[in-house]
Amino acid sequence: MRFVIIEDDVSVRKIISNIIDKYQLGTVVAECGDGLKAEAFIIEYAPDVALVDMLLPGQDGVELIRKMRENGLATSFIMVSESTSQPMITKAYQTGIDFYIHKPINVLEIISVIRKVEESRRLRAVMSLISQTTARYGNPVVKTADSDDNAKKNRINRMFSELGIIGEAGAKNIHQLIQLVDARLTGGDNQAYQLHELYNELSQAIGQDVKTIEQRVRRAIAKAMQNVANMGIEDYHNDKFEVYSGALFDFKEIRQEMAFIQGKGTYHGKINIKKFLEGLLFLAAE
């Protein structure tokens, strides 16, 4: 992989560059110590990965990455900073970074993160190739509706297990709601829907009170959020945490839940039921 390092501390640039070289992670094609000048460097070299400091002269790293994302660059961004401010870290992730590394530089962490980024980029390239091939030649694999539904059901149950809610009373209701969402999104009317419509439809189908269904669903999703937040506390780069924290929840709310669990916040993160249902459906279809 090709790297650009954007860091105003020359010694830090040298450390990162040496790690990349020593462990044969790729090639550093350019270095820069100014946030404004870095724009031209990244656009010119179009690196696979840019390691960017948060606090830079000219403009900060978050603003730099925001501009690069707006340019549509396929570069993966790793932010390297001594800042421990949770709002700043959350903002960095919302801007589009792939990973956040704390200073002082830890050799093993740099290696681990870069390899995860490499694997992520390789996976995206493979998925893109599959998508292009399918679009060009069509899909030769014939699947029955029943086999596809069973595959989705198995994937959803696996995710329930990983989220720690497989035994929750609300898990069954969530699965039923996902089926209703799927029917709407794959049917002829691919339009917006309201949660209360789903609750009412499910209530009539299974003969249970709407309020009971909603409470079960909320409790199960809140527990899933708590479990995902605990994954992040134990290992911020845990693969499951990275997938579920973004696909099923608003990341800032996961950060809030993590802060609450650690005694650094006064309230839980908020769940988004619609995002959770559609996120599970999306992951199950992959």
Side-chain angles (χ1 to χ4, degrees), residues 15-282:
I15 290 171
I16 296 174
S17 181
N18 286 343
I19 292 172
I20 292 171
D21 181 59
K22 181 178 179 180
Y23 294 93
Q24 300 180 340
L25 301 172
T27 304
V28 177
V29 296
E31 297 180 13
C32 181
D34 182 273
L36 284 174
K37 293 178 181 178
E39 293 182 25
F41 274 78
I42 295 174
I43 292 172
E44 178 183 353
Y45 288 97
D48 298 306
V49 181
L51 293 104
V52 182
D53 186 17
M54 179 179 284
L55 303 176
L56 292 164
Q59 69 178 343
D60 64 52
V62 173
E63 180 64 13
L64 169 63
I65 293 169
R66 184 189 67 77
K67 289 181 179 178
M68 295 300 97
R69 286 297 187 212
E70 288 179 352
N71 264 327
L73 291 180
T75 299
S76 298
F77 291 94
I78 300 172
M79 181 151 280
V80 184
S81 177
E82 60 190 9
S83 174
T84 57
S85 167
Q86 295 305 330
M88 289 295 289
I89 295 173
T90 298
K91 185 178 179 182
Y93 272 103
Q94 290 172 338
T95 303
I97 67 170
D98 292 77
F99 286 97
Y100 188 98
I101 294 176
H102 290 280
K103 293 179 182 177
I105 297 298
N106 179 295
V107 176
L108 293 179
E109 185 178 18
I110 287 280
I111 295 170
S112 173
V113 167
I114 287 177
R115 285 178 175 162
K116 285 181 179 181
V117 169
E118 182 179 22
E119 181 60 29
S120 175
R121 290 180 63 84
R122 184 183 296 116
L123 180 60
R124 285 202 298 269
V126 170
M127 293 302 293
S128 176
L129 180 60
I130 292 172
S131 177
Q132 291 171 19
T133 304
T134 301
R136 185 175 179 182
Y137 298 107
N139 189 356
V141 180
V142 178
K143 292 185 178 180
T144 65
D146 287 344
S147 66
D148 190 48
D149 288 343
N150 286 334
K152 277 185 182 179
K153 183 177 180 179
N154 290 336
R155 285 192 286 266
I156 289 171
N157 284 336
R158 189 197 72 238
M159 287 188 282
F160 282 169
S161 178
E162 292 175 346
L163 291 166
I165 61 171
I166 191 72
E168 291 291 309
K172 183 177 181 180
N173 294 142
I174 290 172
H175 204 152
Q176 292 164 331
L177 290 171
I178 289 172
Q179 291 176 310
L180 295 178
V181 173
D182 195 14
R184 278 167 167 74
L185 297 181
T186 58
D189 54 341
N190 189 6
Q191 302 295 326
Y193 60 89
Q194 300 297 321
L195 279 175
H196 70 82
E197 297 173 354
L198 301 183
Y199 287 134
N200 286 330
E201 187 174 340
L202 182 57
S203 173
Q204 293 173 13
I206 65 177
Q208 292 182 3
D209 180 64
V210 169
K211 190 172 182 180
T212 299
I213 295 172
E214 183 176 4
Q215 287 176 340
R216 285 177 178 174
V217 168
R218 284 189 169 277
R219 277 198 296 268
I221 297 177
K223 183 174 181 180
M225 171 179 271
Q226 184 182 52
N227 291 337
V228 170
N230 276 314
M231 289 180 198
I233 291 171
E234 292 173 9
D235 179 5
Y236 205 76
H237 303 307
N238 178 293
D239 292 338
K240 292 184 178 65
F241 172 73
E242 290 172 2
V243 172
Y244 292 143
S245 63
L248 306 182
F249 304 98
D250 293 323
F251 188 78
K252 66 178 180 179
E253 299 301 338
I254 285 289
R255 295 294 310 174
Q256 179 58 45
E257 184 69 16
M258 291 169 69
F260 180 84
I261 293 170
Q262 294 173 308
K264 300 176 183 177
T266 56
Y267 55 89
H268 289 280
K270 296 177 183 177
I271 60 172
N272 182 328
I273 296 175
K274 213 169 181 181
K275 181 178 178 70
F276 188 85
L277 297 176
E278 292 181 1
L280 281 174
L281 185 57
F282 173 78

